[in-house]
Amino acid sequence: MFDIDLYREVWQAISKNRLRSTLTAFGVLWGIFMLVVLHGAGNGLENGITKNFSGFATNSAFIWAEKTSKPYKGFKEGRQWSMSNKDIVALKQEVPEIEYIVPRLNGWRQNGQNNTLYKDRYGTFSYKGDYPDLAKVQAFDMIHGRFLNEIDLAESRKVCVIGPRVAEVLFPHGENPVGEYIRMSGVYFKIVGVFNVSNSNRNDRRQEIHIPFTTMQKAFNYGDIVHYFAFTAHEGNKVSVLENKIMDIVKERNNVAPDDPQAIGHFNVETRYEQMSKLFQGIDILTFIVGLGTLLAGVIGISNIMLVVVKERTVEIGIKRAIGATPLSIIKQIMIESVILTLSAGYIGLTLGILLNEGLGAIMAQNPDSVLLNPGIDLKTGLISLAVIVTSGAMAGLLPATRAIKVKPIDAIRGE
Amino acid sequence: MVKIEQLHKSYITGKNSLHVLKGIDLYVEEGEMVSIMGSSGSGKSTLLNILGILDTYDEGSYYLAGELVRNMNEKKAALYRNRTLGFIFQQFNLIPFKNALENVALPLYYQKVSRKKRNQVALEYLDKVGLKDWAHHMPNELSGGQKQRVAIARALISKPKIILADEPTGALDSVTSYEVMNILKEVNNEGITMMIVTHEHDISEMTQRVIHLKDGLIEKNITNRHN
C-alpha cells in the first residue's frame, strides 16, 4: 500500500536535515562512481588489448625453418634448410587435428627498392605467396574485389590482392584498382582485390601484395619450398600440443635432430592470448578488490554518518514514541528514508560513472592506437553493486532505529 | 484514574543500585489536578515517567484507567501514550524540523488520521492556546512560552484522559509560567486529569492537591482549600 503521508514524513526528514542527507548521499555516490569508473576502465583496457589480437584466429600458430643447431644424420650443424610442398601435403594427411594449414612464401628476393610499378607511379612493397585459406586464419577486410581463390592457386594465375597502402600509392585519386595490371619485379599481375587493415598494430600488412602461392613458386623461381606456414586447430584441440606434434613431424621429414631447439621457429597465438587472458583476470581481480574497497568505504561512510546522528535521532524517536509512535512505524520510516537516500545517490553515482566511461570511450575512439576501447560495465555489475549499497544503507538506517527502540522512551528523550 | 500501590523503582548503574521509589501509594481521581513536589532526587520525575509508561517499575502495581500497566509490550504502550496520555516536558521536546502545526498534528498521524483532517484539527488546538497565527513557524522561531503552548496543544490533540507535565514551567519566566498554568487549568476544567511535577510553590498552589515526595516516599499529601 502506498502511504503518501509516510513518504511526506520521509521527505521532510531528508530535506530538513540537508547536511546529514548530503553527506550520506555523497558516500554512496562516490562508492558507486569509483566502482563503475574503475571496473569500466578495466573492461576498456581488456577490450583495447583484445582488439590487437583481432585479425588472428586465437587457435592459430606459425612455424618456419631456422638454421639447425645440432648435427644429425650426417648433416652438420648450422645448416639452412627449408620446408617444402610435400611437408604440407604430409601434414594434411597425418594430422587430422589440423583445421586449416596455410603455407606462405615471402618474396624477399623481390623486395628491392621500388619493386612495383603502375604507369608512372611506383613503390616498395612486400610480396607474399599465399593460399586462399589464409583468409580463414587471418581476417581480410576486402574493400574492393575478392581475395585469392582456389582457381587462382590451381592455375597459378598472375593475380594479386593489394593492401591499402599499395592502393594509396599506386592509385592516389581513389580510383578502383580492380582489373588494373601492375608490374611486380618485372612480371605483370592483375589486381583482383583490395583489403583494409583496421588493426593499427599490424600496419606492416598495409603494404603487402598477396599473390597465389603456386604463382610465387613459378614466377619468382622458388621451386617447391615453403617459407612458413600457419595452421589452426580443430575445436577441442590445444594449439600448443598440436604445434609440438607438427614440429616433430617436420623435423623428422627434413632430417633435423628431434631435440634441436633452434631449428624451427614458431609463434603460438593461443599461448599469447592465454597470457593476456591471465593478465586481464589479474586486472579484473584488482579492479574488483579496489572497487569493492571503495564500495565498502561508501558503506562504512553511511554507517558512520548514521551512527553520528544516532543521538539526534534518538531524541526525535523518543519524542515520537512519547506521543504514540509504534516501533514498527519508526523503523519503517527510518529505513525507507535511508533506502531512498542511498538509492537515489547510488543511481546518480551510477549515471555519472557511466557518463564518464562513455565520454572517455568517445575520446579514446578518436585515437585508433589508444589502449582503452569502449570502457564500461555490464548492467549486472552495476545493479549488483547498487543492490549491495542500498541493502547496507537500509541496514545502516536500521541501526539507530533499533537502538532508539530498545532503550526506554524516557532515556531516548533525554538522549542517553 | 490512577491507582498506585507499593511502587518500587531502582536504578542499577554498574554495581551500584539506587533505590529511587521506595513504596509509593497514590490514588488520583478522574478530573483531578495534582502537583508532585519534592527536592531533586526525590523521585518525582521518575514517578511521572512511570505513570506515562515511558519508564518501567520493579515492584508494586500501577493501574491506569482501570487497567494494570506492567511489562506492557511496546506496541500497546504506544497505543496508551497516543490515546490515553498526553505529555508536556520542561524542554518542550518539539520536533525541530517540523513547524508548529505539524508538531501539533503528529499524534494524529500515528492514529492514521488524514493529513487534511489532522491539520484542520491541529489548527483548532493551536487557536485554543492562542497560536493560530504562529502555525507555520518553526520551533526555533518561537519563544519558550509559545513552544510550551505548542507542546500543550500537541498533548491535547488526541483528547487524552490524563496529562502528565514534567516541570512545564521550569524553563519559563514567571509571567509566561502563569499563562501556561492558566491554560492547563482550563484544560483541567474540561475534565482532563492533570498531574504536574514541579518544584515551584506558586505553581503547586494553583493545583487542587499537592503530593510531597521525599527520598522516594510520600511525605505529605495536602489538599489546597482555596481550589
Side-chain angles (χ1 to χ4, degrees):
Chain A
M1 191 191 73
F2 187 79
D3 181 357
I4 184 81
D5 268 344
L6 177 64
Y7 285 92
R8 250 190 257 260
E9 283 289 303
V10 166
W11 175 244
Q12 195 176 37
I14 289 176
S15 58
K16 295 289 170 74
N17 297 290
R18 203 160 292 161
L19 181 67
R20 186 176 81 197
S21 305
T22 314
L23 286 175
T24 311
F26 187 75
V28 178
L29 195 151
W30 192 247
I32 288 271
F33 177 76
M34 286 308 285
L35 183 81
V36 170
V37 169
L38 273 174
H39 198 66
N43 284 348
L45 189 65
E46 183 169 347
N47 290 342
I49 293 179
T50 309
K51 196 190 81 171
N52 288 344
F53 276 97
S54 70
F56 278 118
T58 52
N59 62 339
S60 62
F62 301 85
I63 283 176
W64 60 92
E66 299 261 8
K67 275 183 186 164
T68 61
S69 65
K70 288 191 174 178
Y72 189 63
K73 285 191 180 172
F75 292 107
K76 280 185 181 171
E77 64 177 89
R79 172 174 66 108
Q80 181 63 60
W81 61 285
S82 296
M83 297 184 291
S84 72
N85 289 352
K86 286 174 198 136
D87 291 327
I88 305 300
V89 174
L91 284 170
K92 270 184 187 166
Q93 283 170 354
E94 286 173 38
V95 190
E97 296 97 316
I98 293 174
E99 186 186 22
Y100 297 109
I101 181 159
V102 253
R104 162 176 281 185
L105 275 169
N106 285 307
W108 286 311
R109 272 188 262 137
Q110 283 68 42
N111 290 357
Q113 189 74 18
N114 297 329
N115 56 0
T116 310
L117 287 115
Y118 173 74
K119 292 185 179 162
D120 57 340
R121 288 183 287 275
Y122 46 84
T124 309
F125 306 113
S126 54
Y127 303 164
K128 309 284 178 191
D130 282 314
Y131 269 62
D133 276 349
L134 180 64
K136 304 271 178 27
V137 182
Q138 217 174 356
F140 278 89
D141 172 19
M142 303 304 297
I143 44 178
H144 292 296
R146 60 170 175 85
F147 192 63
L148 304 172
N149 63 26
E150 294 296 335
I151 304 167
D152 299 333
L153 189 78
E155 297 181 358
S156 308
R157 285 179 175 173
K158 293 199 184 73
V159 292
C160 66
V161 174
I162 61 175
R165 177 72 192 149
V166 183
E168 254 170 53
V169 172
L170 301 182
F171 303 92
H173 307 298
E175 55 268 53
N176 186 352
V178 173
E180 300 296 323
Y181 285 84
I182 54 173
R183 212 176 88 184
M184 297 168 59
S185 280
V187 184
Y188 280 93
F189 281 79
K190 184 183 179 183
I191 299 172
V192 293
V194 184
F195 62 91
N196 192 20
V197 180
S198 51
N199 185 345
S200 58
N201 278 20
R202 297 306 313 272
N203 276 336
D204 54 318
R205 285 186 57 200
R206 299 178 74 85
Q207 40 204 349
E208 283 179 357
I209 301 178
H210 299 268
I211 62 173
F213 185 83
T214 48
T215 316
M216 181 73 128
Q217 282 183 333
K218 285 173 188 162
F220 298 118
N221 209 19
Y222 281 99
D224 70 344
I225 68 163
V226 171
H227 282 143
Y228 81 78
F229 64 88
F231 65 91
T232 60
H234 272 300
E235 223 176 288
N237 294 297
K238 277 194 75 71
V239 178
S240 45
V241 176
L242 189 57
E243 188 183 31
N244 287 330
K245 185 174 177 183
I246 288 173
M247 288 198 297
D248 287 345
I249 294 171
V250 171
K251 280 175 181 171
E252 201 199 321
R253 290 181 54 84
N254 291 283
N255 297 321
V256 174
D259 56 347
D260 191 332
Q262 284 176 22
I264 294 185
H266 55 105
F267 176 83
N268 181 339
V269 178
E270 184 189 65
T271 308
R272 292 296 156 98
Y273 194 75
E274 275 172 1
Q275 284 170 352
M276 293 314 288
S277 297
K278 273 182 194 135
L279 178 70
F280 293 136
Q281 273 173 17
I283 292 173
D284 267 356
I285 291 169
L286 191 73
T287 54
F288 183 74
I289 290 170
V290 174
L292 208 67
T294 38
L295 204 61
L296 205 66
V299 171
I300 290 169
I302 306 166
S303 311
N304 263 336
I305 290 160
M306 284 294 178
L307 280 173
V308 166
V309 303
V310 159
K311 191 169 177 176
E312 172 188 352
R313 263 269 132 98
T314 305
V315 176
E316 178 196 323
I317 292 166
I319 297 169
K320 283 180 170 173
R321 287 174 70 191
I323 57 176
T326 56
L328 187 69
S329 71
I330 283 172
I331 290 179
K332 205 159 97 182
Q333 195 203 319
I334 290 188
M335 290 215 17
I336 289 175
E337 197 183 305
S338 189
V339 167
I340 285 182
L341 210 57
T342 47
L343 194 65
S344 45
Y347 183 75
I348 295 170
L350 199 63
T351 312
L352 286 180
I354 288 170
L355 280 179
L356 185 75
N357 274 338
E358 290 288 318
L360 219 60
I363 294 167
M364 292 297 184
Q366 289 168 6
N367 176 7
D369 288 328
S370 65
V371 248
L372 284 179
L373 181 73
N374 298 329
I377 58 160
D378 51 65
L379 190 66
K380 207 179 98 192
T381 316
L383 290 182
I384 286 175
S385 43
L386 199 59
V388 165
I389 208 145
V390 167
T391 313
S392 41
M395 291 300 129
L398 196 61
L399 197 66
T402 46
R403 258 185 76 166
I405 295 289
K406 266 184 197 150
V407 298
K408 286 182 289 191
I410 190 63
D411 293 336
I413 291 172
R414 287 180 185 142
E416 285 161 7
Chain B
M1 179 56 46
V2 168
K3 195 172 96 182
I4 285 175
E5 288 166 345
Q6 280 305 307
L7 193 81
H8 285 264
K9 171 73 179 176
S10 300
Y11 286 114
I12 296 157
T13 45
K15 283 178 183 171
N16 302 320
S17 173
L18 188 63
H19 203 170
V20 182
L21 299 178
K22 300 169 179 169
I24 304 266
D25 290 297
L26 180 65
Y27 184 76
V28 178
E29 274 186 65
E30 191 166 347
E32 248 192 305
M33 187 167 186
V34 179
S35 58
I36 302 168
M37 289 197 74
S39 56
S40 63
S42 62
K44 55 188 194 301
S45 286
T46 304
L47 178 60
L48 197 78
N49 293 333
I50 291 170
L51 290 174
I53 331 178
L54 295 175
D55 206 344
T56 54
Y57 59 95
D58 305 325
E59 275 173 55
S61 54
Y62 164 33
Y63 292 91
L64 173 63
E67 185 147 353
L68 179 67
V69 177
R70 180 150 186 93
N71 297 331
M72 198 176 255
N73 73 38
E74 187 51 37
K75 200 177 166 189
K76 201 173 173 193
L79 194 70
Y80 266 94
R81 290 182 208 122
N82 190 225
R83 308 268 179 164
T84 314
L85 300 160
F87 288 97
I88 298 166
F89 301 94
Q90 182 175 6
Q91 294 304 327
F92 326 123
N93 281 340
L94 301 177
I95 309 269
F97 56 85
K98 286 177 181 291
N99 67 28
L101 187 74
E102 289 163 338
N103 263 291
V104 174
L106 201 56
L108 295 186
Y109 169 73
Y110 294 116
Q111 289 181 15
K112 309 269 183 225
V113 176
S114 79
R115 185 181 173 83
K116 203 177 160 189
K117 173 80 179 158
R118 65 174 192 260
N119 281 350
Q120 187 193 325
V121 177
L123 202 61
E124 279 171 34
Y125 276 88
L126 275 176
D127 195 19
K128 218 171 176 175
V129 296
L131 285 174
K132 198 178 179 183
D133 297 338
W134 298 82
H136 297 286
H137 282 73
M138 301 305 281
N140 60 10
E141 296 163 342
L142 301 173
S143 71
Q146 287 171 324
K147 278 187 213 172
Q148 198 57 295
R149 281 189 277 163
V150 171
I152 292 169
R154 185 177 66 183
L156 290 174
I157 196 165
S158 54
K159 299 195 176 74
K161 291 200 171 75
I162 175 164
I163 295 244
L164 303 169
D166 189 1
E167 305 262 10
T169 58
L172 305 174
D173 60 60
S174 57
V175 177
T176 27
S177 290
Y178 290 141
E179 279 173 22
V180 164
M181 281 310 290
N182 282 331
I183 293 170
L184 291 181
K185 276 177 92 169
E186 275 172 41
V187 169
N188 177 243
N189 286 338
E190 290 170 19
I192 296 175
T193 312
M194 184 84 57
M195 293 186 78
I196 302 167
V197 161
T198 184
H199 61 267
E200 293 165 76
H201 283 283
D202 51 344
I203 298 298
S204 64
E205 283 288 296
M206 297 170 79
T207 63
Q208 294 153 5
R209 185 149 64 106
V210 185
I211 296 156
H212 286 269
L213 281 189
K214 195 179 179 187
D215 298 330
L217 284 167
I218 293 179
E219 186 192 32
K220 285 182 281 180
N221 200 331
I222 299 162
T223 307
N224 286 332
R225 297 230 176 95
H226 60 273
N227 280 308

